[in-house]
Structure formats: structure tokens, C-alpha cells
Amino acid sequence: MSIYNLISIYFLIMIYAAVYWAVHIRALNESGYALVIQMLSCAFFVYIMGYTLQLNSVTEAQMLFWNSFQYLGIPYVSALWLLSGLLYTNRISNYKIAWSLFIFVIPIITMVLRLTNDWHHFYFAAITFVDENGKLLLERTYGPWMLVQTVHSLSMIAITLFLYLKEFLDHENNRKKLILISLASIVAAMGLIFSFKNPLGIAIDYMAVFLPFSCFLVVVAIWRYDFLETKAKARNEAFESGRDALVLVSIQNKIIDYNLKARHLFEMQKIDLNEGRMETILKDAPLFLESFQSDGDMTIKVLIEDRERIFEISTQKIESMRSSRGALKIICDVTEAYDLNKSLQYQAMMDALSGLYNRRAFMQKGEEIRMLAQESGQSMHLLMMDLDHFKNVNDQHGHQMGDQVIETIGYALKVHFHSKALIARLGGEEFAVLLTGFDDDKVAQKAESFLENFAAQPFSAKETIFHVTVSIGIAKKTDLNQTFDMLIHMADQALYRAKDKGRNQVVAYSFDQF
């Protein structure tokens, strides 16, 4: 078995490992950091697979094709390695655009130049083929851009190594991680140098040989020493991706950390949520400041961008060894929930067809009005109304026309009686109006005028014009001991009397008559 067959077997094992690792990383974590590691595994896979197929090609055309294919992955290996280091050490957030240009512009240009090399030979000055003991191999003469790419890749590795050194030297328990990750970076750099210098004089890609060792060291660091620090990364992801705004406050009342939702929330209030004393930062947001200073939970209403928003702010204390270390303020925007609840309450109290209050709302609000009128000494009158012969409307003209009549009287009642009147549809064709602050004559006058106006309202059904009348019974609260139910009963009796007398008339309750 030739050395090239052994190398091919080695590469096939690495290809399988790259695929497995890409899938496994994504299964462990779906954070942005894990995604970059997965992309790094995929770039490594494309690179090694392309070179393996190039090494086992039997024609020059095949070798050229698979050599070009490798450059869909080669330029991005060191770039993604640096990006993973930046994310791990949280060094990318403030200079995303600058870092992105520095990291990816050269690899993209490299890929394009390699794929179009036959037109300009700027990446490879020349490509030749040699037969070594019956094995067809590809030899490359590097062009000027190859030097640029090599320097760029070495700088990526060097910067990454520096970032990890700076991060790990601050923590004594990370020394073993440091050794492994340093070796991984050094091995990758050696692969680049060997590929460019070819000190052994063998027509192989040394980077492809060295890189799997580098990746192996990274895998050991991850598995043995939790190099990814899954728990910390998971907590950070939860901190940033939650629906609520989160602000971390120290025991000295300093804001020491916050998530993106919190930053956006305070930016809408023209507040720069930098680290520092919260009394200074939140001086223009007194309600938030009060809630942050409180150890309990609070609900506040704040005007933001011309809309009142409601926030529930809860406090989660952070304690260590029974001593307080600070608190996490959880700011939940419940405006939509409040609006929905308010809408549901409104719907539960309203009659959809007439647009008036329903019986439940009338009974609840009527009792409240009775108590207020009793305390203030205001008069109170209840008008009970019933549409006359409403069954005939449904029978002769259909229920759709009956609904139209209900809608019309609902609108007419709201227009005729003042806005402070409590108006409701109690059910079917029965309606009620509760008035306070009017004398008997004024109430009777308003009832009579409504009766006349509504009786004059024409309805049209299939070219037939018809009119609908109402009967009205009036009851007045005259005794402190009268309950609201008693007032309804009195108005009902007056209404029945109006119907017995021929309908389309107003009858006021009288203790002498009933």
C-alpha cells in the first residue's frame, strides 16, 4: 500500500469526523457561536474532501476540478477560526463591520481568483503535473495573491491565539485549555508554512495533513475541558434571546449588564443604558428608577413614542453564601395583554347587535350608579322598554330585518339620551335606560319624545314600508331602602301596564296604581 493510499484513508476518516462534528455541534447548541463552529467544520469538510478526491483523480481535468472545489472551503478555515475566537471572547460586538471586512474580504477574493485562475494566473502562476512512481500529482507555482492569502491566514491564526491567551491567562483553571488551543493554532500555522515552503519536496498539500491534528486538539479541548463552555454560552444565549428586557444591577445600585431588548427599550426613551449608577442613568425615567430601587415587583405605565405602555417589573435577587450580590430586573411589556384583557372585558359587557351594554353590565353598573346617586342625593329614574309586536317583524320580514330593527333602536337610544345615561339591551326586544339628576317631568318628556321619534322611523323590506313602536315603563327611586332589583321590578310593572293599555305609550309607576 502506497503512502498516498494511507493519506487517502487518513483523509476519509477526517471527512467523517468533520461531518459528525458539524452535526453534533448543532445538536448541542443553536447559538451563533455554535453556528460558526459548525461552519468551520463544513469548510474543513469541503477542503479535505476536495483534496482527497484530487489526490485520487486519474486525469488532469479531474485534478484541476477538485483542486478548484477545495477553494470553496480553504480560504474560510482560518477566517472562521478567528470569528469563533472573537465570539468566544465577546470582542466582535462593537466592531462587527470592521471585523467582517478584515476577516472575509481576502478569503472571498481568494476563492474568486482561484476559480478564475485560468484567465489571469494571479493566484497560481502555473500548474503542472508530475508522475511519481505511477501516481499523477499536481504541482503549483504560487502567484502573488497566494502570498497575500498565506499572510492573511497566518494573521488570523495569530490574532486568535492572542485572544485566547488574553482570555485564559486571567483564569488559572484554564491553563490546560490554553496549552491545547495554543498547540492547535501552532499546528495550523505550521501547515500553512509547510504548504508555502514545501521543505520536504513532496507534491502534497501540507495544510491538509496538518489541519486534522489541529482540529483534533480543539475537539479534545471541547470534550475534556468544556472549551465551548456550553453552560455559560447557553446562559448567555438565554439572556440575549428572551422576550423580556433584562437589566443586571449590583448591590451598589450600579447597572452592570443588560440585554439587547433592554437597550432598545431605553433607547426609545432617549436613555443610553451604559454601565454606571442607575440614579444617573435613569434620572429621566423616574418610574423605572423607582422600580429598580425597590426590592419588590411593580407595574408601571410609561408614555413611549406617544403611546402609553404598561410594564411589569419583577426582581430576582442574586445571592451567594447567603449574602446579596445584586438583582436581575426583569421588564415585561404587558401592554398587549392588558389591551386584550380590556377588549375581552368590554366584549363580555356589550351586546354585539345593538352596541349597548348587556344585562350583566347593566346590573353591575346600575347598582354602582344607585349607590352613588343615594350618596349624592340625586334623583334616579329607570325606563324599561319593549318593542311592540316584534315577533311579527321576524315572522313577516325575516330575522335579518329584525336584527336591523334592534341595531336601529340601539343607535337611537344612544343619540336621544345623554351620554351619562346607562343604556342596555336586556335581552330579545327588551331595553333599559337609567337616568340620574332629572326631575319627573323631564324624564317623562324624554320618554314621550323618544316614543314618538322611533314610531316615525320607517323600515323597508321588499318594497314594503312598516313602522315599529315601543312601550315604556318608568320607575323612580323614592326610598333609601329600595334596591336596584326593586326598581327594575317597578319599571317592569309599569311596562306591562303600558302593554295592557294598548302599547306605544309611556306609563309611570305609581304606588297608588300598582
Side-chain angles (χ1 to χ4, degrees):
M1 182 179 292
S2 71
I3 184 65
Y4 296 106
N5 289 335
L6 291 174
I7 291 175
S8 296
I9 294 172
Y10 163 72
F11 285 151
L12 287 173
I13 294 172
M14 292 302 105
I15 289 170
Y16 173 82
V19 174
Y20 170 80
W21 190 244
V23 175
H24 185 65
I25 282 288
R26 199 58 176 167
L28 282 176
N29 198 321
E30 292 189 359
S31 67
Y33 182 74
L35 177 61
V36 171
I37 297 295
Q38 185 186 40
M39 291 169 63
L40 177 61
S41 299
C42 291
F44 172 77
F45 164 77
V46 171
Y47 174 29
I48 300 300
M49 186 184 74
Y51 185 68
T52 303
L53 293 172
Q54 172 193 319
L55 201 60
N56 288 274
S57 296
V58 295
T59 67
E60 294 178 358
Q62 288 177 344
M63 296 187 75
L64 286 172
F65 173 79
W66 289 116
N67 182 265
S68 298
F69 178 83
Q70 296 170 51
Y71 281 82
L72 299 176
I74 289 176
Y76 301 102
V77 172
S78 58
L80 290 168
W81 180 236
L82 174 57
L83 182 59
S84 68
L86 289 168
L87 288 172
Y88 180 80
T89 56
N90 293 318
R91 302 284 180 177
I92 196 172
S93 57
N94 295 329
Y95 307 99
K96 287 183 179 180
I97 297 178
W99 275 118
S100 298
L101 290 173
F102 175 68
I103 293 172
F104 290 105
V105 168
I106 298 298
I108 291 172
I109 295 174
T110 298
M111 180 183 68
V112 173
L113 290 179
R114 174 59 193 95
L115 296 177
T116 60
N117 190 72
D118 291 341
W119 299 344
H120 47 71
H121 301 286
F122 196 57
Y123 190 74
F124 291 143
I127 297 177
T128 57
F129 300 89
V130 296
D131 189 328
E132 187 173 308
N133 298 324
K135 178 66 176 177
L136 185 65
L137 298 174
L138 183 149
E139 286 188 336
R140 303 154 296 176
T141 302
Y142 296 135
W145 189 260
M146 181 66 182
L147 177 61
V148 174
Q149 169 63 22
T150 302
V151 172
H152 181 267
S153 296
L154 283 171
S155 66
M156 298 290 100
I157 296 171
I159 294 172
T160 306
L161 180 58
F162 172 78
L163 289 173
Y164 286 131
L165 279 169
K166 194 173 187 309
E167 182 77 8
F168 297 150
L169 285 175
D170 294 334
H171 304 87
E172 293 183 0
N173 60 337
N174 283 329
R175 295 302 169 83
K176 291 183 178 179
K177 295 181 188 179
L178 172 61
I179 294 172
L180 285 174
I181 199 61
S182 299
L183 285 175
S185 298
I186 291 170
V187 169
M190 288 176 59
L192 276 173
I193 296 171
F194 270 59
S195 293
F196 193 77
K197 294 292 186 179
N198 191 11
L200 301 180
I202 303 174
I204 62 171
D205 188 342
Y206 292 95
M207 186 63 184
V209 176
F210 279 72
L211 194 58
F213 286 104
S214 182
C215 293
F216 172 77
L217 292 172
V218 174
V219 170
V220 172
I222 291 172
W223 280 107
R224 185 170 179 80
Y225 301 111
D226 191 22
F227 174 68
L228 281 175
E229 294 188 2
T230 307
K231 291 181 180 179
K233 292 300 173 184
R235 287 191 178 97
N236 182 65
E237 189 71 13
F239 187 78
E240 286 296 342
S241 62
R243 297 179 59 185
D244 300 331
L246 304 175
V247 179
L248 189 60
V249 180
S250 71
I251 190 64
Q252 294 82 17
N253 286 335
K254 288 185 178 181
I255 294 175
I256 58 176
D257 200 4
Y258 50 87
N259 65 359
L260 194 60
K261 293 282 183 12
R263 191 183 78 182
H264 288 166
L265 169 62
F266 286 96
E267 280 179 349
M268 288 190 292
Q269 302 175 74
K270 306 287 189 291
I271 295 174
D272 188 3
L273 203 63
N274 290 319
E275 296 179 6
R277 292 196 65 80
M278 63 186 183
E279 291 87 351
T280 303
I281 296 170
L282 300 177
K283 64 180 185 302
D284 295 327
L287 291 177
F288 277 107
L289 178 58
E290 181 185 353
S291 66
F292 276 30
Q293 292 173 330
S294 170
D295 291 334
D297 299 341
M298 288 184 63
T299 299
I300 64 173
K301 295 182 179 180
V302 181
L303 190 65
I304 299 178
E305 296 182 343
D306 298 327
R307 183 188 176 189
E308 186 180 70
R309 302 200 69 86
I310 303 171
F311 298 95
E312 289 183 351
I313 303 176
S314 57
T315 303
Q316 183 175 320
K317 292 184 178 180
I318 300 172
E319 298 179 338
S320 176
M321 299 295 291
R322 297 184 180 180
S323 63
S324 177
R325 298 296 182 185
L328 180 66
K329 296 293 181 176
I330 304 168
I331 308 170
C332 181
D333 189 341
V334 295
T335 308
E336 281 69 27
Y338 267 71
D339 289 345
L340 177 61
N341 186 52
K342 198 173 181 180
S343 176
L344 291 174
Q345 288 181 347
Y346 177 80
Q347 293 175 27
M349 303 286 275
M350 299 302 292
D351 174 65
L353 184 58
S354 66
L356 304 174
Y357 284 115
N358 58 22
R359 176 181 286 274
R360 175 187 174 188
F362 182 75
M363 298 301 293
Q364 177 181 322
K365 291 181 176 294
E367 178 60 27
E368 294 172 0
I369 292 173
R370 183 196 70 81
M371 293 176 66
L372 289 173
Q374 186 165 301
E375 290 176 2
S376 63
Q378 283 187 314
S379 64
M380 187 167 74
H381 294 79
L382 175 61
L383 284 65
M384 297 292 285
M385 303 182 186
D386 207 44
L387 290 169
D388 297 330
H389 304 296
F390 185 67
K391 184 176 183 299
N392 294 340
V393 175
N394 286 323
D395 293 343
Q396 295 176 16
H397 306 292
H399 288 278
Q400 187 173 357
M401 177 54 66
D403 290 347
Q404 184 178 330
V405 172
I406 296 295
E407 291 176 2
T408 302
I409 191 174
Y411 178 75
L413 285 167
K414 287 189 287 186
V415 171
H416 185 79
F417 293 95
H418 68 87
S419 59
K420 292 184 179 180
L422 177 63
I423 309 171
R425 180 189 179 196
L426 302 184
E429 64 270 27
E430 188 177 12
F431 299 83
V433 179
L434 186 62
L435 298 170
T436 56
F438 291 93
D439 57 34
D440 297 349
D441 292 339
K442 185 63 175 179
V443 172
Q445 179 186 345
K446 291 184 75 68
E448 290 285 356
S449 61
F450 179 80
L451 183 141
E452 294 173 3
N453 292 340
F454 190 73
Q457 170 72 45
F459 293 94
S460 176
K462 297 180 180 179
E463 301 181 355
T464 300
I465 303 298
F466 66 95
H467 297 267
V468 179
T469 61
V470 295
S471 298
I472 302 176
I474 302 175
K476 178 182 179 182
K477 186 178 184 310
T478 58
D479 191 331
L480 291 177
N481 294 323
Q482 279 180 332
T483 65
F484 193 58
D485 286 336
M486 292 171 62
L487 192 63
I488 291 174
H489 178 69
M490 291 161 56
D492 268 336
Q493 286 186 304
L495 174 61
Y496 295 147
R497 184 65 176 270
K499 286 181 172 292
D500 290 341
K501 291 175 65 175
R503 293 182 171 83
N504 191 26
Q505 57 186 284
V506 178
V507 172
Y509 182 89
S510 170
F511 287 100
D512 297 335
Q513 296 177 353
F514 295 92

